[in-house]
Amino acid sequence: MENQKTTPVYQVVEKFVSINGEGRRAGELAVFIRMKGCNLRCTYCDTLWANEADCESTEMTVDEIVSYIEESKVKNVTLTGGEPLLREGMAELITAILSDPQRRVEIETNGSVDLSPYCELERRPSFTMDYKMPDSGMEHAMRLSNMEKLSSEDTVKFVVSSRSDMERALEIIEKYDLRERTAVYFSPVFGRIEPVEMVDFLMEKKLNDVKIQIQLHKMIWDPQKRGV
Ligand SMILES: C[S@@+](CC[C@H](N)C(=O)[O-])C[C@H]1O[C@@H](n2cnc3c(N)ncnc32)[C@H](O)[C@@H]1O
Ligand SMILES: Nc1nc2[nH]cc(C(=O)O)c2c(=O)[nH]1
Ligand code: SF4
Ligand SMILES: [Mg+2]
């Protein structure tokens, strides 16, 4: 009995179907599963509520999450948070979701958690990995060994607040040859920087193969609205 494996449960703070407002599949329908809790505290986080210890959550098993996804009839699944990769049993959940060959799993992750265990899965999820900028206050937490784990199916996202953040992003892009490895996105911290300033930066630096993306859901709904 002592070695009996316990079934993992996941603390889910919200689940919903929407269009993906971010990343390579922006504009497509996706099912979102948002996990509670985060190890970082970015200055701009739009989901801080999900990281609070007293945030209400529902304990869900793998089977319950997969049933919810199945019932939605939506193929794109986004696991987010909080920080989804802090949870025990994430590999098990990803494998169960991907047992349907039609589905795709995208993981929004904060750059501080080792991606290796998930790269070794039989079907690998797609990572949208933030590299946290100086203005987030969390750059010190970046796990640089993740850079070499990224493939052409993944994305590195720089969520920038200022010109100096963009200068830093450019240093990182060049240092790790990111455009040769993976997709590279710049996204504005909502309301903190004018997107036109970002376009000007790309033009000034002749920065090819970098995409600017504004969170689409915040254009469609009230930017504070949850569950969309
Ligand atoms: C809420 S986080 C959850 C996943 C993970 N903790 C992370 O940081 O990647 C999802 C995405 O939203 C972005 N984000 C959070 N607050 C934002 C804001 N105010 N403006 C733009 N993007 C934001 C994060 O940078 C991240 O790419
Ligand atoms: N519509 C919508 N798309 C998203 N893509 C990534 C999100 C996230 O919070 O990780 C998100 C979100 O919160 N809403
Ligand atoms: S890592 Fe993600 S969830 Fe955590 S504080 Fe930063 S943006 Fe928010
Ligand atoms: Mg969000």
Side-chain angles (χ1 to χ4, degrees):
M1 289 298 275
E2 265 175 24
N3 290 329
Q4 207 171 28
K5 216 171 154 217
T6 51
T7 315
V9 285
Y10 306 86
Q11 307 291 329
V12 175
V13 293
E14 61 175 3
K15 55 187 194 315
F16 57 93
V17 174
S18 184
I19 54 148
N20 201 337
E22 302 170 25
R24 300 162 78 112
R25 295 204 170 266
E28 292 185 30
L29 282 178
V31 197
F32 292 83
I33 309 290
R34 192 181 302 284
M35 306 288 181
K36 179 174 172 171
C38 186
N39 56 330
L40 304 187
R41 206 167 179 87
C42 304
T43 52
Y44 54 73
C45 180
D46 61 10
T47 323
L48 271 180
W49 59 271
N51 305 342
E52 302 299 339
D54 61 1
C55 171
E56 229 176 84
S57 62
T58 307
E59 285 194 346
M60 294 182 78
T61 61
V62 170
D63 289 351
E64 286 168 339
I65 294 175
V66 171
S67 297
Y68 175 73
I69 294 167
E70 221 157 61
E71 280 162 27
S72 76
K73 309 265 184 253
V74 170
K75 290 199 271 184
N76 296 327
V77 180
T78 299
L79 303 178
T80 185
E83 175 49 50
L85 296 183
L86 292 178
R87 309 276 72 85
E88 293 278 319
M90 280 307 288
E92 197 170 332
L93 178 61
I94 294 164
T95 302
I97 299 170
L98 289 177
S99 65
D100 179 338
Q102 298 271 309
R103 292 198 197 111
R104 311 178 188 102
V105 170
E106 180 183 6
I107 300 189
E108 297 274 335
T109 184
N110 67 20
S112 76
V113 184
D114 184 12
L115 302 182
S116 319
Y118 312 101
C119 295
E120 286 153 18
L121 297 176
E122 199 175 313
R123 275 194 72 202
R124 187 183 176 289
S126 164
F127 301 105
T128 297
M129 191 191 85
D130 274 22
Y131 180 95
K132 299 293 180 189
M133 296 281 85
D135 289 351
S136 74
M138 293 295 132
E139 191 182 8
H140 61 89
M142 294 303 93
R143 186 180 281 259
L144 299 173
S145 57
N146 279 339
M147 297 298 198
E148 63 199 43
K149 305 278 168 357
L150 298 168
S151 79
S152 58
E153 302 298 308
D154 303 315
T155 301
V156 174
K157 183 156 57 147
F158 297 95
V159 178
V160 303
S161 303
S162 60
R163 182 177 170 98
S164 58
D165 271 358
M166 291 190 285
E167 299 275 9
R168 178 64 178 150
L170 181 51
E171 273 176 27
I172 298 296
I173 288 168
E174 287 176 344
K175 182 167 179 191
Y176 295 98
D177 293 328
L178 289 182
R179 286 170 293 174
E180 282 72 53
R181 285 175 194 283
T182 191
V184 179
Y185 281 60
F186 276 19
S187 188
V189 171
F190 195 79
R192 275 210 201 158
I193 181 169
E194 287 299 330
V196 69
E197 222 186 297
M198 299 168 66
V199 178
D200 288 344
F201 185 83
L202 294 196
M203 292 201 289
E204 179 192 324
K205 302 290 181 186
K206 317 285 180 226
L207 204 45
N208 290 293
D209 301 322
V210 172
K211 286 195 180 67
I212 290 183
Q213 185 169 71
I214 302 171
Q215 293 173 298
L216 197 50
H217 49 297
K218 292 186 185 172
M219 309 281 115
I220 301 175
W221 294 281
D222 177 338
Q224 309 295 332
K225 191 171 163 65
R226 293 186 193 174
V228 294

